[in-house]
Amino acid sequence: MTESARSEIRAALRQLLPILFAALPFGMVYGAIAIGAGLTLWQTLGFSATVYAGASQLAALQLIGIGAPVWSVLLAVVALNFRHVLYSASVGRHLTRFSAPQKAAAFFLLVDPMFGAAEARASGQKLTKTFYFAYGLVLYFGWLAATLVGALFGALIEDPLAYGLDFILPVYFLTLLMTFRARSQFYPVALASAATSILVYLTIGPPWHVTIGGVAGVFLAAVARPAARPTGEGVDA
């Protein structure tokens, strides 16, 4: 392994470490709840390994617990995870050196923290395969390990919210968001997305506020971008 690759791995792990402290307890909570809901150990681990989306996994368990029909469970999972389509469109611009199988693996690993880390990294330098997969794979297997621990020893976690763990991830994402504040139209887009999300949350309710708020921000960015160009500026070839 070259020194450059080792440097990329170290950079990825430095960024990931605080996220692991916040994410792993939620993986344990999911594992405990899944076992409590009647899933077997292998079903619990398989759900984490294939869906790999904490909020969606917990929402699905809640719906299953109240006897909701399968279509309702699937709809909730799709609604919560639809933002990942937007993530893929954004991060995909930085994966030009990735082969097709590597892109498929990269998109599978593209959960919320991975998106934030990838965009932040790409804003200042090249997003390398080594950085991306070091971050993504450690986070993925960390989530599986947390699921296993929760499934086996879930009774040890009584109330993770009492430690403020639910507040760590929002603060982390707000910090990542503000690293892009120098970009053109940042504040109008962010405010439009936030306002739309709040409005949808108060009217339609979750989980649609996540997706619709994101789409509103993308729409405003797409509409505002041509207006921001100086008159006479040509289109890149």
Side-chain angles (χ1 to χ4, degrees):
M1 182 183 296
T2 65
E3 179 58 33
S4 176
R6 286 193 290 267
S7 176
E8 288 291 286
I9 292 174
R10 287 193 296 267
L13 296 181
R14 278 196 302 270
Q15 289 197 28
L16 178 59
L17 186 59
I19 296 305
L20 282 176
F21 283 120
L24 295 187
F26 286 100
M28 296 177 192
V29 169
Y30 159 73
I33 292 175
I35 293 296
L39 272 64
T40 67
L41 177 62
W42 288 111
Q43 287 171 337
T44 300
L45 290 173
F47 202 10
S48 273
T50 54
V51 178
Y52 185 39
S56 298
Q57 292 174 223
L58 290 170
L61 286 178
Q62 290 175 342
L63 291 172
I64 292 171
I66 63 175
V70 174
W71 68 265
S72 178
V73 176
L74 293 176
L75 181 61
V77 171
V78 170
L80 279 169
N81 284 344
F82 188 79
R83 67 189 184 281
H84 290 226
V85 176
L86 305 179
Y87 290 172
S88 299
S90 181
V91 171
R93 300 171 301 157
H94 311 306
L95 307 183
T96 55
R97 296 179 179 272
F98 287 48
S99 66
Q102 288 170 340
K103 283 184 178 180
F107 288 141
F108 174 76
L109 296 172
L110 191 54
V111 291
D112 296 327
M114 184 74 256
F115 169 72
E119 285 291 336
R121 186 73 172 177
S123 68
Q125 54 193 293
K126 182 176 67 174
L127 178 61
T128 65
K129 301 174 188 177
T130 303
F131 178 92
Y132 192 102
F133 286 114
Y135 190 107
L137 289 173
V138 172
L139 181 61
Y140 176 70
F141 286 108
W143 178 257
L144 295 183
T147 297
L148 177 61
V149 171
L152 296 176
F153 308 105
L156 299 178
I157 308 174
E158 295 181 359
D159 186 12
L161 303 186
Y163 300 98
L165 296 176
D166 59 322
F167 197 61
I168 296 176
L169 285 179
V171 169
Y172 170 76
F173 287 119
L174 180 61
T175 302
L176 282 177
L177 176 68
M178 294 308 295
T179 63
F180 304 109
R181 64 186 180 277
R183 292 188 177 184
S184 175
Q185 302 297 323
F186 169 82
Y187 287 103
V189 170
L191 290 173
S193 182
T196 302
S197 182
I198 292 171
L199 179 62
V200 173
Y201 182 86
L202 295 175
T203 54
I204 301 176
W208 296 104
H209 65 294
V210 177
T211 297
I212 297 176
V215 170
V218 170
F219 177 77
L220 179 61
V223 171
R225 184 170 182 175
R229 288 181 184 151
T231 304
E233 181 180 348
V235 178
D236 293 338

